[in-house]
């Protein structure tokens, strides 16, 4: 401390206290140099002098930084810019010489803090490496050799800093000896031979401290073009221009590195194996296509790994080599062995194997991989592993784009492969998988047009249109625009209806259809033109408080409506820049290794990296005193989750703050003013499209409006061309609508509502009544089904099947009078009509007798009319309370086994209605048929009888109550409430009678 204070005072004020006394101050520095060079002075005192010099140097560096910030300059006797020691290089050389002497005398096996700091200062002093290099080269070369010798460290962080220090020293030395005319390689011999000694270290317990460090240093020198290892037995020095210098140093790093690989059958040395294999890959890359003897030795070792069952070592070695030479796996013939392992390995090894097969993107290797993997795709995608799917789908799409086209017999393989992939990928998959799947479907549709209409190819392309989280939306839209009609909206509507979705894609079909319909308008230049060119008068700008955390996708698209800047101002480039800034905040903490990171440190460091002058406190301790600092199994794994959560929160806050900059001011408008001036149709409709991707109800409404626009456009065209022809406007849509209605599953209520609205708007299509009923029941849109059937009837279609379908839906809704009136039109026989008339008038006793007499008579009628007699007899008897008669009728009809249920179902809580199965339940509840097995069978088979339990919740609740089952009773009643709420919410408010019945 005293020497540091003395130096600080002398440099600042001189010996006499006057700033002009530089000669006396210089004399003090010369005396310090003399002490460092004195052979009689104890090494511990020299070490204290070096520490004082380092401390003084750091003091003036920090003082200079503070002055730059405050603009308050301090005059010094001696020059301290850029730093105290850099301006006095003789102190650096004397200090390094003293440290070299002290380190060798103490037999220290690590790079001490003073040695590290003084070496880093020497790197900043240009004079040492230029004008005075010849004078000081012995000291500098000795320090480099010493640091290389002591650079091994067990701690990854310290090892990385040592590698950085050695690399910078070797780069400085290379630049200094480039001008040497005779044997410049001799300056590197000592350091390179020391690295060779580390590589040949035999103590496996300390391999992390010697072999690992040597490999890291060699890799760093190779990456930074300091040495050239293309020759088997020589290491050549490389100039800053990439030219060889001198005759090279006789040394074989490749064979020594090859010896560091694991032995076949061994389970130790995995970390060393990874780093050594990575270095071999970099040496192989630098050699190009030139073959070396050690290549054969490497192939023999890999073959031995495979033969001995050391699959982890086999895959890890290939994987690390593939970082630098992705083509090695295929060129060396190991691709077939890797492919054979796919059925034997799982988890991470399987990911590595797939990465090896797909790493080489050359045409030959890609096509060969595709042909080899095609038959095994169903088994590869079965586990739904995201990384495997991403690599596999990307390779398949690349192969197809490169011209891969198998023989016609392989068409079945592609069909089964696409089905398996479609089952493995859905909207819950990660973005990379969905994007790769979309690109594959586009490629397969272009190469194999016969597969374009397959559901496994068509559905992903439909889903991609409604997936704004990926970057393929525009690509897929262009794909469909080339295949669908573009002349007008009605032609596009016809083609869109031909894209029938599967049950899994129904929820996204509406949003995709909206995109496809609006795409026709986007081709019109007027769609992009501003609606109004003039500025509004009396506009008032006020700050806006904008919540950007809710639906960021919607926020970005809504900007034109509320922001002063146009949508085009927030371009993709600026958005990508913001994302890059956010990602830069997610730096991997020390000790946490990225999964696909190159194990050679230098491959992940910046080009101008410089070593730290001072390491953290744990790095300055002796290795035997360190208590596991920053080890992954200690500190990192304990705080890893907390660190990552904090990082993620930081990124989210950053993105929110950046999004706020996009919306600055909003306008206050007068009544009648448009939302914005110079806004186009595209900007007005864009928010609806984005919202439609998230809200199927809005998507249904938007598509209905677009369909109406298509109808109006078509009507205008027809009237203009035919002079008022009576042909209906959407004639070309009728056949696709019939096929769509007959094929679609109807699991999504919004999709069903849209289709039924089309059936109502286009009654000329004569959509099959049975499919309208099916869709209305499956989609829980009974009222919409009734309206669609009524539209068909109003259009003049009066078939009995249509009236029966209308009666069926009306009865399911509880509108009994409408159902009976429909039956009157469906069955024109007088006896049936008279029985129905008595039921409508409320004469249930008379109606019951008539129905029963018709059932017992031998009148030849069709099965549907007889079913009506039976069902209405049951209904009348239930309402009259004739449970004994009903019991007799049902006892002979095998009531123990539930009969198949018709599409007509019961309303919860109703005392009558539904099919005969519902009647049997009510009878069994009031008067058991033979035993209690009938009800118990229905309750136990819950999955099969889900709708029965749903619509007979009241009856089953009473049954459970009679068995003292309180919990079961509450469960059934809660199901009744839920069913009522669903039915109410799905019924249009215009259907007043239906709502009253509910």
């Amino acid at each position: 401390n005293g020497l540091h204070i003395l130096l600080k005072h002398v440099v600042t004020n001189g010996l006499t206290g006057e700033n002009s006394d530089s000669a006396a101050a210089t004399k003090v520095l010369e005396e310090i140099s003399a002490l460092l060079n004195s052979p009689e002075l104890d090494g511990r005192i020299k070490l204290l002098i070096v520490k004082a010099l380092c401390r003084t140097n750091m003091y003036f560096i920090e003082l200079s930084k503070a002055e730059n910030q405050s603009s308050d300059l301090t005059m010094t006797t001696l020059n301290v810019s850029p730093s105290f020691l850099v301006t006095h290089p003789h102190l650096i050389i004397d200090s390094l010489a003293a440290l070299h002497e002290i380190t060798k005398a103490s037999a220290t096996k690590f790079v001490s803090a003073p040695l590290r700091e003084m070496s880093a200062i020497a790197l900043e002093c240009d004079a040492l490496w230029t004008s005075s290099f010849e004078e000081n080269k012995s000291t500098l070369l000795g320090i480099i050799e010493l640091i290389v010798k002591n650079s091994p460290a067990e701690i990854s962080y310290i090892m990385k800093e040592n590698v950085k220090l050695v690399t910078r020293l070797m780069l400085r030395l290379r630049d200094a000896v480039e001008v040497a005319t005779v044997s410049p390689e001799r300056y590197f011999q000592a350091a390179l031979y020391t690295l060779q000694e580390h590589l040949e270290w035999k103590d496996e317990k300390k391999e992390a401290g010697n072999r690992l460090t040597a490999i890291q240093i060699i890799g760093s020198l190779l990456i930074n073009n300091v040495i050239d290892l293309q020759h088997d037995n020589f290491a050549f020095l490389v100039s800053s221009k990439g030219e060889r210098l001198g005759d090279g140093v006789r040394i074989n790093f490749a064979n020594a590195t090859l010896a560091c690989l694991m032995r076949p059958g061994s389970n130790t040395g995995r970390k060393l194996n990874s780093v050594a294999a990575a270095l071999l890959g970099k040496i192989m890359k630098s050699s190009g296509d030139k073959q070396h003897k050690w290549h054969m030795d490497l192939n023999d070792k890999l073959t031995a790994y495979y033969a001995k069952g050391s699959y982890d070592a086999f895959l890890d070695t290939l994987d690390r080599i593939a970082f630098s030479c992705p083509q090695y796996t295929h060129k060396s013939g190991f691709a077939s062995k890797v492919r054979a392992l796919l059925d034997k390995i799982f988890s991470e090894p399987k990911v590595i194997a797939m990465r090896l097969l797909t790493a080489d993107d050359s045409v030959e290797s890609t096509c060969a991989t595709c042909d080899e993997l095609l038959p095994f795709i169903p088994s590869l995608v079965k586990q739904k592993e995201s990384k495997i799917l991403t690599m596999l789908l990307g390779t398949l799409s690349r192969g197809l784009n490169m011209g891969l086209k198998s023989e016609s017999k392989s068409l079945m393989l592609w069909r089964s492969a696409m089905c398996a992939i479609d089952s493995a990928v859905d909207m819950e998959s990660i973005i990379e998988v969905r994007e790769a799947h979309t690109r594959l479907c586009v490629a397969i549709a272009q190469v194999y047009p016969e597969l374009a209409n397959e559901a496994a190819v068509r559905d992903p392309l439909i889903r991609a249109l409604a997936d704004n989280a990926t970057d393929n939306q525009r690509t897929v839209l262009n794909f469909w625009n080339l295949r669908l009609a573009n002349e007008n909206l009605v032609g596009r509507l016809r083609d869109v209806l031909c894209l029938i979705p599967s049950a899994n894609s129904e929820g996204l079909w509406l949003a995709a259809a909206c995109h496809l319909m609006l795409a026709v308008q986007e081709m019109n230049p007027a769609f992009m033109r501003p609606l109004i060119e003039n500025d509004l008068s009396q506009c008032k700008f006020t700050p806006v408080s904008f919540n950007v955390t809710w639906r960021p996708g919607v926020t970005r698209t809504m900007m034109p409506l509320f922001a002063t800047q146009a949508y085009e101002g927030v371009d993709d480039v600026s958005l990508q820049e913001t994302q890059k800034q956010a990602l830069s905040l997610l730096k991997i903490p020390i000790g946490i290794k990225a999964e696909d990171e190159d194990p050679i440190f230098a491959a992940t460091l910046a080009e101008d990296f410089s070593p730290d002058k001072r390491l953290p406190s744990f790095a300055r301790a002796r290795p035997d005193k360190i208590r596991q600092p920053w080890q992954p199994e200690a500190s990192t794994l304990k705080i890893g989750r907390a660190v990552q959560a904090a990082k993620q929160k930081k990124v989210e806050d950053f993105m929110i703050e950046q999004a706020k900059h996009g919306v600055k001011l909003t306008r206050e408008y007068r009544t009648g003013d448009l939302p914005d001036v110079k806004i186009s149709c595209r900007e007005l409709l864009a928010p609806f499209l984005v919202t439609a991707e998230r809200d199927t109800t809005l998507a249904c409404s938007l598509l209905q409006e677009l369909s109406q626009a298509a109808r109006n456009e078509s009507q205008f065209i027809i009237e203009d061309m035919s002079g008022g022809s009576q042909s209906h406007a959407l004639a070309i849509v009728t056949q696709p609508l019939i096929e769509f209605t007959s094929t679609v599953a109807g699991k999504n209520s919004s999709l069903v509502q849209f289709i039924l609205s089309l059936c109502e708007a286009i009654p000329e299509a004569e959509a099959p009544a049975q499919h309208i009923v099916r869709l209305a029941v499956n989609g829980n849109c009974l009222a919409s089904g009734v309206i669609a059937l009524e539209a068909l009837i109003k259009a003049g279609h009066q078939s009995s099947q249509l009236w029966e379908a209308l009666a069926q839906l009306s009865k399911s809704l509880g509108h009994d009078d409408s159902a009976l009136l429909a039956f009157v039109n469906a069955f024109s026989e007088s006896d049936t009509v008279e029985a129905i008339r008595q039921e409508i008038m409320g004469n249930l006793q008379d109606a019951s007798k008539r129905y029963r007499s018709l059932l017992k008579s031998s009148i030849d009628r069709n099965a549907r009319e007889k079913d009506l007699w039976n069902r209405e007899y049951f209904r009348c008897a239930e309402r009259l309370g004739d449970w004994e008669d009903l019991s007799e009728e049902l006892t002979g009809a095998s009531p123990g086994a539930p009969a198949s249920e018709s599409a007509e179902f019961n309303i919860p809580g109703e005392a009558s209605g539904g099919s005969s199965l519902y009647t049997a339940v009510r009878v069994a509840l009031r008067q058991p048929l033979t035993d209690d097995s009938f009800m118990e069978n229905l309750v136990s088979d819950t999955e099969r009888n889900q709708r029965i339990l749903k619509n007979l919740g009241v009856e089953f609740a009473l049954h459970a109550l009679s068995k003292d089952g309180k919990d079961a009773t509450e469960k059934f009643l809660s199901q009744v409430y839920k069913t009522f709420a669903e039915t109410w919410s799905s019924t249009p408010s215009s259907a007043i009678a239906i709502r009253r019945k509910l």
Side-chain angles (χ1 to χ4, degrees):
N1 289 335
L3 182 56
H4 163 62
I5 295 172
L6 171 64
L7 286 170
K8 184 171 62 173
H9 181 79
V10 169
V11 173
T12 305
N13 303 313
L15 287 178
T16 62
E18 298 179 1
N19 290 336
S20 60
D21 190 13
S22 60
T26 305
K27 183 65 175 177
V28 173
L29 299 184
E30 292 175 356
E31 293 295 335
I32 291 176
S33 295
L35 289 174
L36 290 173
N37 291 322
S38 174
E40 293 83 8
L41 194 63
D42 187 76
R44 290 172 290 184
I45 298 178
K46 291 183 179 181
L47 182 60
L48 291 175
I49 294 174
V50 173
K51 288 186 176 182
L53 288 172
C54 292
R55 186 175 176 186
T56 304
N57 186 72
M58 184 59 66
Y59 167 79
F60 284 106
I61 291 176
E62 294 175 353
L63 181 64
S64 177
K65 292 180 180 178
E67 289 175 351
N68 291 334
Q69 295 177 357
S70 63
S71 300
D72 185 13
L73 300 179
T74 302
M75 300 299 296
T76 58
T77 302
L78 298 177
N79 183 16
V80 293
S81 177
S83 69
F84 164 60
L85 288 177
V86 169
T87 56
H88 301 87
H90 65 281
L91 290 176
I92 299 176
I93 289 297
D94 295 338
S95 298
L96 289 175
L99 288 171
H100 187 277
E101 176 188 346
I102 295 168
T103 304
K104 292 189 70 174
S106 62
T108 302
K109 298 300 183 184
F110 60 91
V111 180
S112 62
L115 177 59
R116 181 186 306 279
E117 186 169 357
M118 195 58 70
S119 300
I121 295 171
L123 288 171
E124 300 173 356
C125 184
D126 294 334
L128 293 179
W129 306 95
T130 54
S131 59
S132 60
F133 175 72
E134 288 296 328
E135 177 185 351
N136 303 313
K137 64 182 180 182
S138 60
T139 302
L140 294 173
L141 293 178
I143 285 296
I144 293 176
E145 181 184 359
L146 179 64
I147 293 177
V148 171
K149 182 177 181 180
N150 293 339
S151 58
E154 295 180 0
I155 302 173
S156 176
Y157 178 74
I158 300 177
M159 184 194 300
K160 181 180 293 187
E161 291 301 321
N162 292 344
V163 171
K164 291 163 65 175
L165 180 59
V166 171
T167 305
R168 289 296 293 174
L169 288 170
M170 300 286 263
L171 282 169
R172 267 295 200 177
L173 180 60
R174 188 272 311 273
D175 296 339
V177 303
E178 274 187 343
V179 295
T181 57
V182 180
S183 303
E185 70 278 359
R186 70 182 187 277
Y187 297 98
F188 288 81
Q189 283 182 354
L192 295 181
Y193 286 148
T194 303
L195 289 174
Q196 181 80 0
E197 293 176 2
H198 286 323
L199 281 177
E200 295 174 353
W201 190 266
K202 300 302 182 183
D203 188 357
E204 294 185 359
K205 294 182 179 179
K206 295 184 178 180
E207 63 180 15
N210 292 78
R211 291 182 171 182
L212 278 176
T213 306
I215 293 174
Q216 294 286 359
I217 294 175
I218 295 170
S220 182
L221 296 178
L222 189 63
I223 291 173
N224 288 278
N225 294 323
V226 179
I227 58 175
D228 180 4
L229 302 179
Q230 295 185 30
H231 197 280
D232 280 338
N233 299 314
F234 285 90
F236 290 93
L237 183 64
V238 181
S239 69
S240 57
K241 298 180 180 179
E243 301 172 352
R244 285 185 177 180
L245 297 176
D247 298 329
V249 179
R250 180 173 290 277
I251 199 168
N252 194 328
F253 281 139
N255 284 341
T257 305
L258 189 63
C260 295
L261 297 178
M262 294 172 59
R263 294 189 301 272
S266 175
N267 292 323
T268 60
R270 293 178 182 272
K271 184 176 181 181
L272 178 61
N273 185 86
S274 298
V275 181
L279 178 58
L280 291 174
K282 297 186 186 307
I283 298 175
M284 188 181 298
K285 180 181 180 181
S286 66
S287 302
D289 296 333
K290 185 178 179 180
Q291 295 296 318
H292 298 272
K293 183 180 181 303
W294 66 269
H295 288 179
M296 301 299 297
D297 297 336
L298 176 61
N299 293 343
D300 293 341
K301 176 149 288 196
L302 289 169
T303 304
Y305 285 153
Y306 189 85
K308 290 292 184 70
S310 300
Y311 299 139
D312 287 347
F314 174 75
L315 293 174
D316 181 64
T317 304
L318 280 175
D319 184 43
R320 298 309 178 181
I321 294 174
F323 265 101
S324 303
C325 298
Q327 71 279 6
Y328 174 73
T329 305
H330 291 272
K331 285 189 175 182
S332 58
F334 290 111
S336 58
K337 291 183 172 60
V338 174
R339 163 63 198 93
L341 288 178
L342 287 176
D343 298 331
K344 304 177 183 179
I345 55 180
F346 303 94
S347 188
E348 192 65 21
K350 193 168 188 176
V351 174
I352 294 175
M354 183 58 66
R355 185 163 59 208
L356 289 170
L357 293 174
T358 59
D360 187 8
D361 56 359
S362 64
V363 176
E364 182 180 356
S365 299
T366 302
C367 294
T369 301
C370 292
D371 286 334
E372 193 170 359
L373 293 179
L374 185 59
F376 306 98
I377 287 179
S379 61
L380 290 175
V381 303
K382 188 176 182 180
Q383 300 299 324
K384 300 183 179 182
E385 172 61 43
S386 299
K387 294 180 180 179
I388 292 179
L389 286 172
T390 303
M391 292 183 288
L392 176 63
L393 301 183
T395 301
L396 292 175
S397 59
R398 285 201 313 269
L400 290 169
N401 292 328
M402 288 176 178
L404 170 68
K405 189 166 184 179
S406 304
E407 300 177 0
S408 57
K409 63 181 181 181
S410 298
L411 193 63
M412 293 300 297
L413 291 176
W414 276 109
R415 182 177 283 107
S416 63
M418 295 305 295
C419 292
I421 293 171
D422 187 45
S423 301
V425 181
D426 53 27
M427 293 302 292
E428 299 300 324
S429 303
I430 64 175
I431 294 177
E432 290 79 4
V433 173
R434 302 204 303 269
E435 289 180 344
H437 188 203
T438 302
R439 289 191 292 268
L440 175 61
C441 291
V442 171
I444 201 75
Q446 292 172 344
V447 177
Y448 295 99
E450 53 268 46
L451 295 180
N453 292 325
E454 294 286 335
V457 177
R458 182 185 65 244
D459 279 3
L461 294 177
I462 293 175
R463 294 196 298 264
L465 282 174
D467 187 4
N468 65 354
T470 65
D471 297 331
N472 292 335
Q473 204 170 31
R474 175 55 57 179
T475 302
V476 177
L477 187 59
N478 293 336
F479 169 83
W480 285 118
N481 285 338
L482 294 174
R483 285 160 174 77
L484 305 182
N486 299 319
E487 302 83 17
N488 48 50
L489 284 176
V490 67
R492 177 57 64 94
L493 178 61
R494 174 200 60 200
D495 291 350
V496 167
L497 288 176
C498 293
L499 305 177
I500 303 175
S502 63
N504 296 331
S505 302
E506 288 183 3
L508 297 173
W509 185 89
L510 290 172
C514 291
H515 279 283
L516 292 174
M517 293 292 292
L518 277 177
V520 178
Q521 294 299 105
E522 289 182 356
M523 299 176 189
N524 188 349
F527 192 67
M528 308 295 294
R529 194 176 302 128
L531 296 175
I532 296 179
E533 296 290 344
N534 300 326
D535 291 334
L536 293 176
S537 61
Q538 301 178 5
C539 282
K540 182 179 178 182
F541 291 93
T542 57
V544 59
S545 177
F546 201 74
N547 182 12
V548 297
T549 61
W550 182 76
R551 289 187 179 182
V554 178
T555 300
R556 180 185 172 192
T557 311
M558 292 286 283
M559 277 184 183
L561 290 179
F562 303 108
T564 57
Q565 56 186 350
Y567 173 79
E568 286 74 11
V570 189
D571 56 5
D572 293 336
V573 176
S574 61
L575 187 67
Q576 292 175 1
E577 187 64 29
T578 300
Q579 292 173 348
K580 289 180 180 178
Q581 296 177 21
L583 291 177
S584 66
L585 299 176
L586 283 176
K587 294 181 179 178
I588 302 174
I590 298 171
I592 298 178
K593 183 178 179 183
E595 201 168 282
D596 300 331
E597 183 179 307
D598 195 323
I600 301 295
F601 290 149
T604 60
L605 300 177
E607 294 181 359
D608 59 344
F609 67 90
S610 57
D612 292 339
K613 293 181 180 178
R614 294 187 176 183
L615 301 185
S617 57
F618 71 80
R620 294 198 295 271
R622 283 175 19 193
D624 57 340
K625 299 296 183 182
I626 296 176
R627 297 181 179 177
Q628 297 183 343
W630 295 100
Q631 292 291 340
E633 58 272 18
S635 304
T636 302
L637 294 185
K638 291 180 180 178
I639 66 173
R641 292 185 179 180
V643 170
Q644 290 296 345
K647 295 285 186 181
Q648 185 66 29
K649 180 65 166 59
K650 193 173 182 180
V651 170
E652 292 176 357
D653 294 343
F654 177 82
M655 294 298 291
I656 290 174
E657 190 63 29
Q658 290 297 315
K660 288 181 180 178
H661 299 329
V663 181
K664 298 177 181 179
L665 295 175
T666 186
R667 286 178 176 150
E668 290 185 357
Y669 299 107
R670 300 168 300 170
T671 303
D673 282 344
L674 288 176
D676 201 356
V677 296
K678 300 182 180 179
I679 192 171
S680 64
C681 292
R682 174 182 178 272
E683 292 167 333
L684 280 174
L685 293 178
F688 291 101
L689 277 179
V690 177
T691 310
E693 295 169 359
R694 296 163 168 80
D695 189 342
T696 56
T697 303
L698 177 63
C700 176
S701 301
L702 180 59
L703 196 54
Q704 287 175 347
E705 294 297 328
L706 290 171
S707 301
Q708 184 61 37
R711 182 186 184 92
N712 296 337
E713 180 187 61
S714 177
Q715 187 66 40
F716 175 80
I717 294 174
I718 291 174
E719 292 176 356
D720 184 62
M721 295 179 61
S722 58
S725 172
Q726 297 301 317
S727 173
H728 66 90
L730 298 180
I732 63 174
V733 182
T734 55
Q735 189 58 35
L737 178 59
I738 293 175
E739 295 179 0
F740 196 101
T741 306
S742 305
T743 307
V744 72
K747 300 297 182 181
N748 184 270
S749 59
S750 296
L751 175 63
V752 170
Q753 188 175 354
F754 167 70
I755 293 303
L756 295 179
S757 68
L758 275 187
C759 294
E760 175 194 357
I762 315 174
E764 297 85 358
E766 298 185 37
Q770 68 273 20
H771 291 296
I772 292 179
V773 173
R774 176 181 60 83
L775 291 177
V777 173
N778 291 343
N780 200 18
C781 298
L782 301 179
S784 298
V786 169
I787 295 173
L789 291 174
E790 288 177 349
L792 291 176
I793 292 174
K794 290 178 182 178
H797 309 293
Q798 302 285 336
S799 65
S800 60
Q801 291 84 358
L802 189 59
W803 283 109
E804 285 185 64
L806 177 61
Q808 191 174 353
L809 288 182
S810 299
K811 185 163 294 200
S812 297
L813 279 168
H815 203 169
D816 298 336
D817 293 341
S818 297
L820 292 174
L821 289 174
F823 279 129
V824 168
N825 290 278
F827 305 109
S828 58
E829 298 296 335
S830 59
D831 46 5
T832 302
V833 172
E834 183 61 27
I836 294 175
R837 182 180 293 111
Q838 294 298 324
E839 185 177 358
I840 294 175
M841 295 173 62
N843 299 328
L844 299 180
Q845 191 72 38
D846 189 13
S848 176
K849 291 180 180 179
R850 290 178 181 273
Y851 285 131
R852 190 167 188 177
S853 63
L854 287 172
L855 287 171
K856 295 185 177 299
S857 66
S858 58
I859 301 177
D860 185 16
R861 301 286 173 84
N862 58 52
R864 298 196 311 277
E865 190 168 358
K866 290 183 179 180
D867 182 65
L868 169 68
W869 298 342
N870 186 70
R871 188 169 58 251
E872 293 306 314
Y873 165 68
F874 284 165
R875 182 183 295 273
C876 293
E878 287 176 285
R879 297 172 67 182
L880 290 171
D882 296 338
W883 303 109
E884 294 183 0
D885 295 342
L886 288 173
S887 179
E888 293 177 1
E889 292 289 339
L890 293 171
T891 301
S894 182
S900 61
E901 185 193 3
S902 65
E904 178 186 343
F905 55 89
N906 179 65
I907 295 177
E910 280 283 314
S912 61
S915 63
S916 58
L917 181 59
Y918 294 101
T919 301
V921 170
R922 297 189 185 96
V923 173
L925 181 65
R926 292 168 173 81
Q927 183 178 347
L929 304 177
T930 54
D931 53 26
D932 205 25
S933 61
F934 178 72
M935 295 291 289
E936 294 298 332
N937 289 339
L938 290 178
V939 175
S940 60
D941 196 0
T942 306
E943 182 176 357
R944 176 187 173 191
N945 303 309
Q946 187 62 37
R947 180 175 291 172
I948 299 174
L949 296 175
K950 177 179 178 180
N951 293 287
L952 288 174
V954 175
E955 285 76 6
F956 282 103
L958 288 173
H959 175 72
L961 187 62
S962 65
K963 300 293 184 180
D964 295 329
K966 182 178 179 181
D967 294 339
T969 303
E970 293 178 351
K971 182 188 73 172
F972 286 123
L973 288 178
S974 65
Q975 182 65 50
V976 172
Y977 298 144
K978 182 179 178 181
T979 303
F980 177 84
E982 290 177 355
T983 309
W984 177 272
S985 62
S986 63
T987 304
S989 58
S990 58
I992 302 300
I994 298 174
R995 279 185 173 257
R996 285 177 179 172
K997 189 68 177 180
L998 287 174

